[in-house]
Amino acid sequence: MAISSAQMESMTSLSNDLFYDILRRLDGPTLASAACTCAAFCSISREERLWENVCSSMWPSTGREDVKSLISSIGGFKKFYADCFPLIVNKEVTEYQRNEYLEDSEEWTEAEYYGDMDESEGISPLDFVSLVDIRYKDRPVCSKVLWGIPNANGINGWFYNCPFRVDLLTYPSSRDNDRDDEVTLSVSDGLPPVTSMERERKDGKLWQELRDGLRLSWIIVNRKAKQAANLASWSPLGGQRHWPTDKDFVIRFGSVLSAKDILPCQVVECVLIMKFRMTRMEGEGVHTTLKLTELSMQLEDMEGTHVNGRNSLLILKGALSCRRSKNYSEVLESCYLYSKVQSELREEKMRNENRLDRLCILSGITAFATLWYYYIL
């Protein structure tokens, strides 16, 4: 909308304090848009305090003093927001890569696949920090901070050669090792009351509310590279009802990361798992309650195999400079494209294995018939 000269004169007569008071009430996208409207808004929008408020509102984990110092050391809150608000989008899962993977994955030697640890010595697990925030129906319910990657200093390269996995509920989430309270959701948070699991199996109302209401942000920061990126898809990509028990609900988030020149599949999936267990059902004086029992991250290749620690560090470092988008539907589309190609790959492998099985059976029958022929002669 064009601003008339009269409106401009009226605006210039206002004090910067009033402008600041207006801008501090805006969310990130609106603040960024307002900064483009006039010189006054543009100048004031450079204030770090504004972006600090935006970040702490969206990601409560950034409100901690140690995290504030971390963000200041890597370029400030405005840069942090610009890096972490857009989500990773990867559309490199093409037909070419799918066909190439089927042919080339078997050609990689063990040394090429697992890599040389000397190449990754410049990447320290201690350089990574995880800032994790969960919201339910736009209300913060959990914030955790993990400094470094746990168990990364194992003897004889244990971490580098074993499957990479981080479970935030297993380790202390702060430098002070303060006690972490249980994370629960209840009817007061907006959960629908559940009177029996039989009814929940039929209508799935609780499951649907969880999938529609939960949002996850998992930001990794590399202190040495002074870069940050959000690994989550914000909205759930899928999940499982009643697994492994009838009272468990598993929600899956994630993103597709580049593994170019690291793994034969060229792209991998960052799998973020959130699991809730029902601890109480609706009854007299009791309300439906869910407890968070798992909050984890791991990397999987096209075959669903867990990526080892060494390659995971290389992939996470590359993720800090991946392409990103503010269009969440585009982000989800790239994740669904990966799942589609992964399913097609599995089907192709099954067809190849079935063909080999038939050839083996046919060869066995032929050999048996030949032996029997010579025997009766």
Side-chain angles (χ1 to χ4, degrees):
M1 182 179 67
I3 300 177
S4 66
S5 57
Q7 288 174 319
M8 287 296 298
E9 286 184 21
S10 177
M11 289 181 65
T12 54
S13 66
L14 299 176
S15 68
N16 284 344
D17 289 339
L18 183 57
F19 282 156
Y20 180 87
D21 189 60
I22 294 171
L23 295 181
R24 73 179 179 84
R25 303 172 189 273
L26 306 180
D27 60 16
T30 310
L31 177 59
S33 298
C36 301
T37 59
C38 66
F41 279 2
C42 180
S43 176
I44 297 173
S45 68
R46 298 192 183 99
E47 287 282 342
E48 273 289 289
R49 288 178 297 170
L50 290 174
W51 293 103
E52 181 179 338
N53 291 339
V54 167
C55 289
S56 62
S57 175
M58 186 165 190
W59 306 298
S61 59
T62 63
R64 293 174 30 152
E65 291 303 319
D66 52 355
V67 178
K68 288 181 181 179
S69 299
L70 169 66
I71 294 175
S72 297
S73 70
I74 65 171
F77 282 93
K78 184 176 181 180
K79 178 181 181 296
F80 181 82
Y81 181 86
D83 288 341
C84 301
F85 178 73
L87 301 182
I88 293 173
V89 58
N90 194 321
K91 294 188 176 182
E92 296 178 0
V93 190
T94 63
E95 191 76 24
Y96 167 78
Q97 288 177 318
R98 179 162 67 250
N99 294 334
E100 285 288 312
Y101 177 58
L102 285 170
E103 298 174 2
D104 295 345
S105 58
E106 297 179 358
E107 297 179 5
W108 281 48
T109 65
E110 184 176 353
E112 287 174 328
Y113 188 89
Y114 289 103
D116 185 353
M117 284 191 298
D118 293 339
E119 296 178 8
S120 58
E121 286 182 353
I123 308 173
S124 171
L126 298 178
D127 293 334
F128 291 92
V129 181
S130 292
L131 311 179
V132 182
D133 293 280
I134 301 175
R135 306 178 83 90
Y136 181 65
K137 294 190 173 180
D138 205 32
R139 177 174 168 268
V141 296
C142 174
S143 293
K144 291 185 176 292
V145 179
L146 187 63
W147 296 84
I149 296 176
N151 297 331
N153 297 318
I155 301 174
N156 298 324
W158 176 89
F159 166 80
Y160 292 95
N161 296 321
C162 289
F164 173 84
R165 176 183 168 89
V166 177
D167 192 335
L168 284 183
L169 301 188
T170 305
Y171 310 102
S173 65
S174 76
R175 287 175 166 174
D176 299 325
N177 294 332
D178 55 342
R179 183 177 63 85
D180 291 324
D181 295 327
E182 288 185 350
V183 178
T184 59
L185 292 176
S186 65
V187 173
S188 61
D189 297 307
L191 284 182
V194 177
T195 55
S196 71
M197 290 309 301
E198 289 75 17
R199 181 165 184 175
E200 166 58 23
R201 288 192 198 96
K202 291 179 180 178
D203 59 30
K205 188 174 181 182
L206 175 60
W207 168 247
Q208 192 63 45
E209 288 284 338
L210 277 177
R211 288 200 55 180
D212 292 345
L214 282 171
R215 298 291 180 265
L216 174 66
S217 171
W218 191 309
I219 295 171
I220 58 163
V221 181
N222 188 297
R223 290 179 279 181
K224 182 182 292 183
K226 299 186 183 299
Q227 292 177 302
N230 199 334
L231 300 178
S233 52
W234 189 240
S235 301
L237 298 175
Q240 290 178 279
R241 295 175 58 190
H242 316 309
W243 187 90
T245 73
D246 63 345
K247 293 185 178 180
D248 286 309
F249 302 86
V250 179
I251 315 293
R252 183 174 63 87
F253 300 78
S255 55
V256 180
L257 308 180
S258 173
K260 190 175 182 181
D261 301 326
I262 301 174
L263 293 174
C265 55
Q266 303 294 305
V267 286
V268 300
E269 183 178 16
C270 177
V271 181
L272 307 176
I273 297 295
M274 190 188 304
K275 183 190 293 184
F276 285 91
R277 172 166 292 178
M278 183 178 292
T279 57
R280 294 178 183 175
M281 282 191 292
E282 204 73 11
E284 187 174 349
V286 178
H287 295 293
T288 302
T289 303
L290 297 179
K291 176 184 174 182
L292 182 66
T293 59
E294 180 181 331
L295 184 56
S296 64
M297 172 177 66
Q298 58 196 34
L299 304 185
E300 295 182 359
D301 65 16
M302 273 287 186
E303 295 184 351
T305 303
H306 295 179
V307 181
N308 65 19
R310 180 263 179 194
N311 288 331
S312 293
L313 290 183
L314 294 173
I315 292 169
L316 289 178
K317 180 183 178 181
L320 298 172
S321 54
C322 278
R323 179 189 168 202
R324 301 165 213 196
S325 174
K326 297 177 183 178
N327 185 344
Y328 289 167
S329 61
E330 185 181 10
V331 174
L332 294 177
E333 181 183 348
S334 72
C335 294
Y336 294 143
L337 176 63
Y338 180 91
S339 297
K340 178 183 177 183
V341 173
Q342 188 179 49
S343 298
E344 292 173 356
L345 174 64
R346 288 173 178 170
E347 292 172 2
E348 182 65 23
K349 290 198 69 174
M350 288 180 63
R351 284 193 292 269
N352 291 339
E353 289 172 359
N354 289 336
R355 283 194 289 268
L356 287 175
D357 289 342
R358 288 195 294 269
L359 286 174
C360 289
I361 293 172
L362 183 60
S363 299
I365 293 173
T366 303
F368 178 79
T370 303
L371 290 173
W372 180 254
Y373 175 76
Y374 284 112
Y375 174 75
I376 62 175
L377 287 179

